Structure formats: C-alpha cells, structure tokens
PDB file of all heavy atoms in Angstrom:
ATOM      1  N   SER A   1       0.868  -1.200  -0.006  1.00  0.00           N
ATOM      2  CA  SER A   1      -0.033  -0.004   0.015  1.00  0.00           C
ATOM      3  C   SER A   1       0.856   1.232   0.023  1.00  0.00           C
ATOM      4  O   SER A   1       1.953   1.264   0.612  1.00  0.00           O
ATOM      5  CB  SER A   1      -0.921  -0.011   1.216  1.00  0.00           C
ATOM      6  OG  SER A   1      -1.769  -1.119   1.192  1.00  0.00           O
ATOM      7  N   THR A   2       0.387   2.273  -0.690  1.00  0.00           N
ATOM      8  CA  THR A   2       1.068   3.535  -0.693  1.00  0.00           C
ATOM      9  C   THR A   2       0.447   4.513   0.273  1.00  0.00           C
ATOM     10  O   THR A   2       0.992   5.615   0.506  1.00  0.00           O
ATOM     11  CB  THR A   2       1.032   4.166  -2.105  1.00  0.00           C
ATOM     12  OG1 THR A   2      -0.337   4.318  -2.524  1.00  0.00           O
ATOM     13  CG2 THR A   2       1.773   3.238  -3.111  1.00  0.00           C
ATOM     14  N   ALA A   3      -0.639   4.156   0.862  1.00  0.00           N
ATOM     15  CA  ALA A   3      -1.325   4.894   1.916  1.00  0.00           C
ATOM     16  C   ALA A   3      -2.302   3.919   2.650  1.00  0.00           C
ATOM     17  O   ALA A   3      -2.508   2.853   2.174  1.00  0.00           O
ATOM     18  CB  ALA A   3      -2.159   6.092   1.336  1.00  0.00           C
ATOM     19  N   LYS A   4      -2.753   4.368   3.743  1.00  0.00           N
ATOM     20  CA  LYS A   4      -3.669   3.413   4.493  1.00  0.00           C
ATOM     21  C   LYS A   4      -4.892   3.160   3.634  1.00  0.00           C
ATOM     22  O   LYS A   4      -5.412   4.000   3.006  1.00  0.00           O
ATOM     23  CB  LYS A   4      -4.079   4.106   5.813  1.00  0.00           C
ATOM     24  CG  LYS A   4      -2.947   4.036   6.879  1.00  0.00           C
ATOM     25  CD  LYS A   4      -3.544   4.388   8.279  1.00  0.00           C
ATOM     26  CE  LYS A   4      -2.529   4.083   9.335  1.00  0.00           C
ATOM     27  NZ  LYS A   4      -3.144   4.341  10.726  1.00  0.00           N
ATOM     28  N   GLU A   5      -5.333   1.885   3.757  1.00  0.00           N
ATOM     29  CA  GLU A   5      -6.484   1.473   3.050  1.00  0.00           C
ATOM     30  C   GLU A   5      -7.510   0.850   3.955  1.00  0.00           C
ATOM     31  O   GLU A   5      -7.143   0.229   4.970  1.00  0.00           O
ATOM     32  CB  GLU A   5      -6.142   0.365   1.900  1.00  0.00           C
ATOM     33  CG  GLU A   5      -5.167   0.926   0.876  1.00  0.00           C
ATOM     34  CD  GLU A   5      -4.844  -0.124  -0.117  1.00  0.00           C
ATOM     35  OE1 GLU A   5      -5.721  -0.321  -1.058  1.00  0.00           O
ATOM     36  OE2 GLU A   5      -3.801  -0.790  -0.048  1.00  0.00           O
ATOM     37  N   PHE A   6      -8.815   1.022   3.674  1.00  0.00           N
ATOM     38  CA  PHE A   6      -9.849   0.586   4.570  1.00  0.00           C
ATOM     39  C   PHE A   6     -10.993  -0.051   3.703  1.00  0.00           C
ATOM     40  O   PHE A   6     -11.258   0.316   2.565  1.00  0.00           O
ATOM     41  CB  PHE A   6     -10.460   1.789   5.291  1.00  0.00           C
ATOM     42  CG  PHE A   6      -9.453   2.441   6.211  1.00  0.00           C
ATOM     43  CD1 PHE A   6      -8.703   3.541   5.838  1.00  0.00           C
ATOM     44  CD2 PHE A   6      -9.289   2.053   7.534  1.00  0.00           C
ATOM     45  CE1 PHE A   6      -7.787   4.153   6.572  1.00  0.00           C
ATOM     46  CE2 PHE A   6      -8.358   2.697   8.414  1.00  0.00           C
ATOM     47  CZ  PHE A   6      -7.616   3.764   7.881  1.00  0.00           C
ATOM     48  N   GLU A   7     -11.647  -1.031   4.330  1.00  0.00           N
ATOM     49  CA  GLU A   7     -12.839  -1.551   3.836  1.00  0.00           C
ATOM     50  C   GLU A   7     -13.978  -1.246   4.841  1.00  0.00           C
ATOM     51  O   GLU A   7     -13.819  -1.262   6.042  1.00  0.00           O
ATOM     52  CB  GLU A   7     -12.752  -3.130   3.756  1.00  0.00           C
ATOM     53  CG  GLU A   7     -11.764  -3.628   2.611  1.00  0.00           C
ATOM     54  CD  GLU A   7     -12.398  -3.444   1.222  1.00  0.00           C
ATOM     55  OE1 GLU A   7     -13.640  -3.171   1.125  1.00  0.00           O
ATOM     56  OE2 GLU A   7     -11.680  -3.687   0.283  1.00  0.00           O
ATOM     57  N   THR A   8     -15.168  -0.952   4.229  1.00  0.00           N
ATOM     58  CA  THR A   8     -16.269  -0.621   5.140  1.00  0.00           C
ATOM     59  C   THR A   8     -16.725  -1.925   5.803  1.00  0.00           C
ATOM     60  O   THR A   8     -16.926  -2.969   5.205  1.00  0.00           O
ATOM     61  CB  THR A   8     -17.468  -0.004   4.229  1.00  0.00           C
ATOM     62  OG1 THR A   8     -17.006   1.103   3.583  1.00  0.00           O
ATOM     63  CG2 THR A   8     -18.652   0.214   5.131  1.00  0.00           C
ATOM     64  N   GLY A   9     -16.974  -1.744   7.094  1.00  0.00           N
ATOM     65  CA  GLY A   9     -17.416  -2.890   7.938  1.00  0.00           C
ATOM     66  C   GLY A   9     -18.905  -2.848   8.166  1.00  0.00           C
ATOM     67  O   GLY A   9     -19.673  -2.367   7.337  1.00  0.00           O
ATOM     68  N   LEU A  10     -19.295  -3.277   9.291  1.00  0.00           N
ATOM     69  CA  LEU A  10     -20.747  -3.384   9.617  1.00  0.00           C
ATOM     70  C   LEU A  10     -21.322  -1.975   9.962  1.00  0.00           C
ATOM     71  O   LEU A  10     -20.622  -1.108  10.549  1.00  0.00           O
ATOM     72  CB  LEU A  10     -20.922  -4.278  10.904  1.00  0.00           C
ATOM     73  CG  LEU A  10     -20.617  -5.774  10.682  1.00  0.00           C
ATOM     74  CD1 LEU A  10     -20.742  -6.525  11.939  1.00  0.00           C
ATOM     75  CD2 LEU A  10     -21.498  -6.430   9.595  1.00  0.00           C
ATOM     76  N   SER A  11     -22.568  -1.797   9.511  1.00  0.00           N
ATOM     77  CA  SER A  11     -23.189  -0.471   9.849  1.00  0.00           C
ATOM     78  C   SER A  11     -23.784  -0.523  11.288  1.00  0.00           C
ATOM     79  O   SER A  11     -23.918  -1.587  11.852  1.00  0.00           O
ATOM     80  CB  SER A  11     -24.320  -0.244   8.865  1.00  0.00           C
ATOM     81  OG  SER A  11     -25.302  -1.214   8.975  1.00  0.00           O
ATOM     82  N   ASP A  12     -24.110   0.651  11.782  1.00  0.00           N
ATOM     83  CA  ASP A  12     -24.597   0.813  13.091  1.00  0.00           C
ATOM     84  C   ASP A  12     -25.897   1.580  13.025  1.00  0.00           C
ATOM     85  O   ASP A  12     -25.886   2.775  12.526  1.00  0.00           O
ATOM     86  CB  ASP A  12     -23.580   1.507  13.996  1.00  0.00           C
ATOM     87  CG  ASP A  12     -24.043   1.712  15.401  1.00  0.00           C
ATOM     88  OD1 ASP A  12     -25.153   1.442  15.691  1.00  0.00           O
ATOM     89  OD2 ASP A  12     -23.207   2.195  16.276  1.00  0.00           O
ATOM     90  N   ALA A  13     -27.003   0.952  13.419  1.00  0.00           N
ATOM     91  CA  ALA A  13     -28.249   1.666  13.245  1.00  0.00           C
ATOM     92  C   ALA A  13     -28.413   2.853  14.276  1.00  0.00           C
ATOM     93  O   ALA A  13     -29.339   3.658  14.145  1.00  0.00           O
ATOM     94  CB  ALA A  13     -29.442   0.667  13.534  1.00  0.00           C
ATOM     95  N   GLY A  14     -27.574   2.959  15.241  1.00  0.00           N
ATOM     96  CA  GLY A  14     -27.536   4.128  16.102  1.00  0.00           C
ATOM     97  C   GLY A  14     -28.564   4.091  17.139  1.00  0.00           C
ATOM     98  O   GLY A  14     -28.879   3.070  17.803  1.00  0.00           O
ATOM     99  N   THR A  15     -29.219   5.256  17.380  1.00  0.00           N
ATOM    100  CA  THR A  15     -30.157   5.390  18.482  1.00  0.00           C
ATOM    101  C   THR A  15     -31.507   6.021  17.992  1.00  0.00           C
ATOM    102  O   THR A  15     -31.501   6.735  16.918  1.00  0.00           O
ATOM    103  CB  THR A  15     -29.629   6.289  19.591  1.00  0.00           C
ATOM    104  OG1 THR A  15     -29.239   7.576  19.049  1.00  0.00           O
ATOM    105  CG2 THR A  15     -28.419   5.627  20.245  1.00  0.00           C
ATOM    106  N   LEU A  16     -32.532   5.873  18.738  1.00  0.00           N
ATOM    107  CA  LEU A  16     -33.809   6.506  18.419  1.00  0.00           C
ATOM    108  C   LEU A  16     -34.201   7.154  19.783  1.00  0.00           C
ATOM    109  O   LEU A  16     -34.369   6.489  20.790  1.00  0.00           O
ATOM    110  CB  LEU A  16     -34.876   5.467  18.074  1.00  0.00           C
ATOM    111  CG  LEU A  16     -36.267   5.993  17.858  1.00  0.00           C
ATOM    112  CD1 LEU A  16     -36.295   6.844  16.587  1.00  0.00           C
ATOM    113  CD2 LEU A  16     -37.263   4.846  17.759  1.00  0.00           C
ATOM    114  N   THR A  17     -34.489   8.462  19.728  1.00  0.00           N
ATOM    115  CA  THR A  17     -34.912   9.238  20.950  1.00  0.00           C
ATOM    116  C   THR A  17     -36.348   9.694  20.748  1.00  0.00           C
ATOM    117  O   THR A  17     -36.721  10.244  19.686  1.00  0.00           O
ATOM    118  CB  THR A  17     -33.999  10.445  21.177  1.00  0.00           C
ATOM    119  OG1 THR A  17     -32.607  10.044  21.393  1.00  0.00           O
ATOM    120  CG2 THR A  17     -34.527  11.185  22.414  1.00  0.00           C
ATOM    121  N   LEU A  18     -37.157   9.305  21.713  1.00  0.00           N
ATOM    122  CA  LEU A  18     -38.647   9.720  21.687  1.00  0.00           C
ATOM    123  C   LEU A  18     -38.792  10.711  22.802  1.00  0.00           C
ATOM    124  O   LEU A  18     -38.560  10.489  23.972  1.00  0.00           O
ATOM    125  CB  LEU A  18     -39.509   8.493  21.919  1.00  0.00           C
ATOM    126  CG  LEU A  18     -39.277   7.314  20.966  1.00  0.00           C
ATOM    127  CD1 LEU A  18     -40.106   6.121  21.377  1.00  0.00           C
ATOM    128  CD2 LEU A  18     -39.569   7.772  19.511  1.00  0.00           C
ATOM    129  N   ASN A  19     -39.355  11.870  22.475  1.00  0.00           N
ATOM    130  CA  ASN A  19     -39.768  12.950  23.389  1.00  0.00           C
ATOM    131  C   ASN A  19     -41.278  12.981  23.509  1.00  0.00           C
ATOM    132  O   ASN A  19     -42.031  12.828  22.513  1.00  0.00           O
ATOM    133  CB  ASN A  19     -39.239  14.309  23.023  1.00  0.00           C
ATOM    134  CG  ASN A  19     -37.736  14.304  22.923  1.00  0.00           C
ATOM    135  OD1 ASN A  19     -37.053  14.056  23.963  1.00  0.00           O
ATOM    136  ND2 ASN A  19     -37.193  14.596  21.788  1.00  0.00           N
ATOM    137  N   TYR A  20     -41.824  13.155  24.719  1.00  0.00           N
ATOM    138  CA  TYR A  20     -43.235  13.033  24.964  1.00  0.00           C
ATOM    139  C   TYR A  20     -43.695  13.798  26.169  1.00  0.00           C
ATOM    140  O   TYR A  20     -42.847  14.191  27.014  1.00  0.00           O
ATOM    141  CB  TYR A  20     -43.617  11.537  25.055  1.00  0.00           C
ATOM    142  CG  TYR A  20     -42.670  10.703  25.964  1.00  0.00           C
ATOM    143  CD1 TYR A  20     -42.890  10.691  27.373  1.00  0.00           C
ATOM    144  CD2 TYR A  20     -41.604  10.054  25.497  1.00  0.00           C
ATOM    145  CE1 TYR A  20     -42.053   9.924  28.221  1.00  0.00           C
ATOM    146  CE2 TYR A  20     -40.739   9.307  26.310  1.00  0.00           C
ATOM    147  CZ  TYR A  20     -40.908   9.267  27.710  1.00  0.00           C
ATOM    148  OH  TYR A  20     -40.086   8.573  28.430  1.00  0.00           O
ATOM    149  N   ASN A  21     -44.997  13.951  26.297  1.00  0.00           N
ATOM    150  CA  ASN A  21     -45.634  14.397  27.541  1.00  0.00           C
ATOM    151  C   ASN A  21     -45.606  13.292  28.534  1.00  0.00           C
ATOM    152  O   ASN A  21     -46.135  12.148  28.201  1.00  0.00           O
ATOM    153  CB  ASN A  21     -47.010  14.904  27.260  1.00  0.00           C
ATOM    154  CG  ASN A  21     -47.047  16.117  26.380  1.00  0.00           C
ATOM    155  OD1 ASN A  21     -46.135  16.975  26.532  1.00  0.00           O
ATOM    156  ND2 ASN A  21     -48.028  16.218  25.509  1.00  0.00           N
ATOM    157  N   PHE A  22     -45.018  13.475  29.653  1.00  0.00           N
ATOM    158  CA  PHE A  22     -44.773  12.412  30.621  1.00  0.00           C
ATOM    159  C   PHE A  22     -46.090  12.020  31.364  1.00  0.00           C
ATOM    160  O   PHE A  22     -46.733  12.833  31.954  1.00  0.00           O
ATOM    161  CB  PHE A  22     -43.771  12.894  31.656  1.00  0.00           C
ATOM    162  CG  PHE A  22     -43.311  11.820  32.637  1.00  0.00           C
ATOM    163  CD1 PHE A  22     -42.720  10.713  32.196  1.00  0.00           C
ATOM    164  CD2 PHE A  22     -43.646  11.965  34.019  1.00  0.00           C
ATOM    165  CE1 PHE A  22     -42.292   9.699  33.141  1.00  0.00           C
ATOM    166  CE2 PHE A  22     -43.201  10.987  34.912  1.00  0.00           C
ATOM    167  CZ  PHE A  22     -42.584   9.839  34.502  1.00  0.00           C
ATOM    168  N   ALA A  23     -46.499  10.701  31.154  1.00  0.00           N
ATOM    169  CA  ALA A  23     -47.674  10.142  31.772  1.00  0.00           C
ATOM    170  C   ALA A  23     -47.307   8.662  32.051  1.00  0.00           C
ATOM    171  O   ALA A  23     -47.564   7.822  31.275  1.00  0.00           O
ATOM    172  CB  ALA A  23     -48.881  10.298  30.875  1.00  0.00           C
ATOM    173  N   PRO A  24     -46.619   8.378  33.204  1.00  0.00           N
ATOM    174  CA  PRO A  24     -45.945   7.172  33.439  1.00  0.00           C
ATOM    175  C   PRO A  24     -46.937   5.884  33.425  1.00  0.00           C
ATOM    176  O   PRO A  24     -46.392   4.780  33.292  1.00  0.00           O
ATOM    177  CB  PRO A  24     -45.217   7.279  34.703  1.00  0.00           C
ATOM    178  CG  PRO A  24     -46.002   8.407  35.411  1.00  0.00           C
ATOM    179  CD  PRO A  24     -46.413   9.303  34.388  1.00  0.00           C
ATOM    180  N   ASN A  25     -48.193   6.127  33.703  1.00  0.00           N
ATOM    181  CA  ASN A  25     -49.086   4.982  33.846  1.00  0.00           C
ATOM    182  C   ASN A  25     -49.756   4.587  32.460  1.00  0.00           C
ATOM    183  O   ASN A  25     -50.601   3.701  32.457  1.00  0.00           O
ATOM    184  CB  ASN A  25     -50.134   5.204  34.853  1.00  0.00           C
ATOM    185  CG  ASN A  25     -49.486   5.183  36.288  1.00  0.00           C
ATOM    186  OD1 ASN A  25     -48.573   4.413  36.493  1.00  0.00           O
ATOM    187  ND2 ASN A  25     -50.036   6.013  37.184  1.00  0.00           N
ATOM    188  N   THR A  26     -49.494   5.346  31.412  1.00  0.00           N
ATOM    189  CA  THR A  26     -50.054   5.006  30.173  1.00  0.00           C
ATOM    190  C   THR A  26     -49.403   3.813  29.593  1.00  0.00           C
ATOM    191  O   THR A  26     -48.197   3.476  29.985  1.00  0.00           O
ATOM    192  CB  THR A  26     -49.865   6.169  29.079  1.00  0.00           C
ATOM    193  OG1 THR A  26     -48.494   6.542  29.027  1.00  0.00           O
ATOM    194  CG2 THR A  26     -50.715   7.377  29.558  1.00  0.00           C
ATOM    195  N   GLY A  27     -49.997   2.986  28.727  1.00  0.00           N
ATOM    196  CA  GLY A  27     -49.545   1.729  28.245  1.00  0.00           C
ATOM    197  C   GLY A  27     -48.112   1.778  27.651  1.00  0.00           C
ATOM    198  O   GLY A  27     -47.277   0.961  28.001  1.00  0.00           O
ATOM    199  N   VAL A  28     -47.908   2.702  26.734  1.00  0.00           N
ATOM    200  CA  VAL A  28     -46.574   2.746  26.066  1.00  0.00           C
ATOM    201  C   VAL A  28     -45.445   3.061  27.042  1.00  0.00           C
ATOM    202  O   VAL A  28     -44.369   2.471  27.012  1.00  0.00           O
ATOM    203  CB  VAL A  28     -46.543   3.711  24.843  1.00  0.00           C
ATOM    204  CG1 VAL A  28     -45.218   3.993  24.374  1.00  0.00           C
ATOM    205  CG2 VAL A  28     -47.485   3.204  23.766  1.00  0.00           C
ATOM    206  N   GLN A  29     -45.686   4.090  27.850  1.00  0.00           N
ATOM    207  CA  GLN A  29     -44.619   4.515  28.818  1.00  0.00           C
ATOM    208  C   GLN A  29     -44.343   3.452  29.833  1.00  0.00           C
ATOM    209  O   GLN A  29     -43.179   3.260  30.209  1.00  0.00           O
ATOM    210  CB  GLN A  29     -44.887   5.879  29.406  1.00  0.00           C
ATOM    211  CG  GLN A  29     -44.945   6.971  28.321  1.00  0.00           C
ATOM    212  CD  GLN A  29     -45.244   8.314  28.929  1.00  0.00           C
ATOM    213  OE1 GLN A  29     -44.734   8.708  29.951  1.00  0.00           O
ATOM    214  NE2 GLN A  29     -46.140   9.097  28.263  1.00  0.00           N
ATOM    215  N   ALA A  30     -45.375   2.784  30.279  1.00  0.00           N
ATOM    216  CA  ALA A  30     -45.172   1.706  31.204  1.00  0.00           C
ATOM    217  C   ALA A  30     -44.402   0.502  30.583  1.00  0.00           C
ATOM    218  O   ALA A  30     -43.520  -0.113  31.199  1.00  0.00           O
ATOM    219  CB  ALA A  30     -46.528   1.211  31.766  1.00  0.00           C
ATOM    220  N   ALA A  31     -44.738   0.301  29.270  1.00  0.00           N
ATOM    221  CA  ALA A  31     -44.022  -0.903  28.598  1.00  0.00           C
ATOM    222  C   ALA A  31     -42.552  -0.539  28.340  1.00  0.00           C
ATOM    223  O   ALA A  31     -41.710  -1.385  28.472  1.00  0.00           O
ATOM    224  CB  ALA A  31     -44.720  -1.103  27.227  1.00  0.00           C
ATOM    225  N   MET A  32     -42.232   0.704  28.041  1.00  0.00           N
ATOM    226  CA  MET A  32     -40.811   1.096  27.867  1.00  0.00           C
ATOM    227  C   MET A  32     -40.114   0.974  29.230  1.00  0.00           C
ATOM    228  O   MET A  32     -38.918   0.578  29.265  1.00  0.00           O
ATOM    229  CB  MET A  32     -40.731   2.517  27.278  1.00  0.00           C
ATOM    230  CG  MET A  32     -41.246   2.604  25.868  1.00  0.00           C
ATOM    231  SD  MET A  32     -40.791   4.118  25.033  1.00  0.00           S
ATOM    232  CE  MET A  32     -41.590   5.352  26.033  1.00  0.00           C
ATOM    233  N   ARG A  33     -40.721   1.419  30.233  1.00  0.00           N
ATOM    234  CA  ARG A  33     -40.042   1.306  31.605  1.00  0.00           C
ATOM    235  C   ARG A  33     -39.847  -0.184  32.028  1.00  0.00           C
ATOM    236  O   ARG A  33     -38.727  -0.517  32.475  1.00  0.00           O
ATOM    237  CB  ARG A  33     -40.921   1.993  32.644  1.00  0.00           C
ATOM    238  CG  ARG A  33     -40.280   2.133  34.014  1.00  0.00           C
ATOM    239  CD  ARG A  33     -41.079   3.090  34.944  1.00  0.00           C
ATOM    240  NE  ARG A  33     -42.428   2.605  35.159  1.00  0.00           N
ATOM    241  CZ  ARG A  33     -43.549   3.151  34.636  1.00  0.00           C
ATOM    242  NH1 ARG A  33     -43.408   4.170  33.861  1.00  0.00           N
ATOM    243  NH2 ARG A  33     -44.684   2.692  34.855  1.00  0.00           N
ATOM    244  N   ALA A  34     -40.800  -1.032  31.692  1.00  0.00           N
ATOM    245  CA  ALA A  34     -40.650  -2.472  32.080  1.00  0.00           C
ATOM    246  C   ALA A  34     -39.616  -3.101  31.212  1.00  0.00           C
ATOM    247  O   ALA A  34     -38.782  -3.930  31.683  1.00  0.00           O
ATOM    248  CB  ALA A  34     -41.963  -3.113  31.867  1.00  0.00           C
ATOM    249  N   ALA A  35     -39.520  -2.646  29.905  1.00  0.00           N
ATOM    250  CA  ALA A  35     -38.468  -3.224  29.018  1.00  0.00           C
ATOM    251  C   ALA A  35     -37.064  -2.808  29.456  1.00  0.00           C
ATOM    252  O   ALA A  35     -36.128  -3.650  29.413  1.00  0.00           O
ATOM    253  CB  ALA A  35     -38.725  -2.733  27.599  1.00  0.00           C
ATOM    254  N   LYS A  36     -36.913  -1.576  30.034  1.00  0.00           N
ATOM    255  CA  LYS A  36     -35.609  -1.164  30.471  1.00  0.00           C
ATOM    256  C   LYS A  36     -35.232  -2.036  31.722  1.00  0.00           C
ATOM    257  O   LYS A  36     -34.037  -2.402  31.773  1.00  0.00           O
ATOM    258  CB  LYS A  36     -35.626   0.270  30.877  1.00  0.00           C
ATOM    259  CG  LYS A  36     -34.280   0.881  31.263  1.00  0.00           C
ATOM    260  CD  LYS A  36     -34.407   2.331  31.511  1.00  0.00           C
ATOM    261  CE  LYS A  36     -33.014   2.974  31.757  1.00  0.00           C
ATOM    262  NZ  LYS A  36     -32.322   2.465  32.985  1.00  0.00           N
ATOM    263  N   VAL A  37     -36.124  -2.252  32.631  1.00  0.00           N
ATOM    264  CA  VAL A  37     -35.811  -2.987  33.833  1.00  0.00           C
ATOM    265  C   VAL A  37     -35.423  -4.450  33.453  1.00  0.00           C
ATOM    266  O   VAL A  37     -34.507  -5.019  34.016  1.00  0.00           O
ATOM    267  CB  VAL A  37     -36.990  -2.957  34.781  1.00  0.00           C
ATOM    268  CG1 VAL A  37     -36.772  -4.016  35.965  1.00  0.00           C
ATOM    269  CG2 VAL A  37     -37.203  -1.581  35.358  1.00  0.00           C
ATOM    270  N   ALA A  38     -36.208  -5.021  32.529  1.00  0.00           N
ATOM    271  CA  ALA A  38     -36.011  -6.454  32.143  1.00  0.00           C
ATOM    272  C   ALA A  38     -34.889  -6.623  31.122  1.00  0.00           C
ATOM    273  O   ALA A  38     -34.431  -7.776  30.950  1.00  0.00           O
ATOM    274  CB  ALA A  38     -37.270  -6.988  31.580  1.00  0.00           C
ATOM    275  N   GLY A  39     -34.410  -5.559  30.476  1.00  0.00           N
ATOM    276  CA  GLY A  39     -33.446  -5.708  29.430  1.00  0.00           C
ATOM    277  C   GLY A  39     -33.950  -6.331  28.137  1.00  0.00           C
ATOM    278  O   GLY A  39     -33.206  -6.774  27.320  1.00  0.00           O
ATOM    279  N   ASP A  40     -35.288  -6.141  27.991  1.00  0.00           N
ATOM    280  CA  ASP A  40     -35.913  -6.738  26.753  1.00  0.00           C
ATOM    281  C   ASP A  40     -35.872  -5.791  25.539  1.00  0.00           C
ATOM    282  O   ASP A  40     -35.888  -4.538  25.822  1.00  0.00           O
ATOM    283  CB  ASP A  40     -37.396  -7.119  27.074  1.00  0.00           C
ATOM    284  CG  ASP A  40     -37.578  -8.215  28.055  1.00  0.00           C
ATOM    285  OD1 ASP A  40     -36.568  -9.064  28.178  1.00  0.00           O
ATOM    286  OD2 ASP A  40     -38.584  -8.339  28.708  1.00  0.00           O
ATOM    287  N   GLU A  41     -35.876  -6.295  24.353  1.00  0.00           N
ATOM    288  CA  GLU A  41     -35.988  -5.479  23.197  1.00  0.00           C
ATOM    289  C   GLU A  41     -37.463  -5.104  22.919  1.00  0.00           C
ATOM    290  O   GLU A  41     -38.357  -5.845  23.303  1.00  0.00           O
ATOM    291  CB  GLU A  41     -35.484  -6.214  21.948  1.00  0.00           C
ATOM    292  CG  GLU A  41     -33.927  -6.390  21.880  1.00  0.00           C
ATOM    293  CD  GLU A  41     -33.450  -6.937  20.591  1.00  0.00           C
ATOM    294  OE1 GLU A  41     -34.141  -7.865  20.094  1.00  0.00           O
ATOM    295  OE2 GLU A  41     -32.475  -6.381  20.043  1.00  0.00           O
ATOM    296  N   ILE A  42     -37.643  -3.913  22.382  1.00  0.00           N
ATOM    297  CA  ILE A  42     -38.996  -3.494  21.947  1.00  0.00           C
ATOM    298  C   ILE A  42     -38.943  -3.065  20.545  1.00  0.00           C
ATOM    299  O   ILE A  42     -37.836  -2.819  20.016  1.00  0.00           O
ATOM    300  CB  ILE A  42     -39.588  -2.384  22.880  1.00  0.00           C
ATOM    301  CG1 ILE A  42     -38.617  -1.144  22.816  1.00  0.00           C
ATOM    302  CG2 ILE A  42     -39.802  -2.867  24.277  1.00  0.00           C
ATOM    303  CD1 ILE A  42     -39.313   0.019  23.576  1.00  0.00           C
TER     304      ILE A  42
END
C-alpha cells in the first residue's frame, strides 16, 4: 500500500430518541419502563 487502505465494515443503526408528555401509567410509557428493567428489546 502507498497509503492506508480501509474496507467498510458493519453498519450501526444508532439510536432512536422519543420525546413526549410524561404520563408514566399510560400503556406505552409503562411498557418502555418495564423493558428497560427487564433488558428486553421492543
């Protein structure tokens, strides 16, 4: 090589941030909280 060479590897889907009006007992917000505690994917 005459200079450093690279091959593209695996892509990274990154992160998704959801902003919302906080209402912790609604179904979606409770499900997200439970998934965080359990380490489950959603």
Side-chain angles (χ1 to χ4, degrees):
S1 299
T2 57
K4 283 193 173 183
E5 298 181 80
F6 299 89
E7 290 284 350
T8 300
L10 296 175
S11 63
D12 181 354
T15 59
L16 176 72
T17 299
L18 306 175
N19 297 300
Y20 45 87
N21 294 323
F22 184 65
N25 291 325
T26 56
V28 169
Q29 294 182 45
M32 292 193 298
R33 187 168 62 252
K36 184 176 188 296
V37 172
D40 293 335
E41 287 187 320
I42 59 175

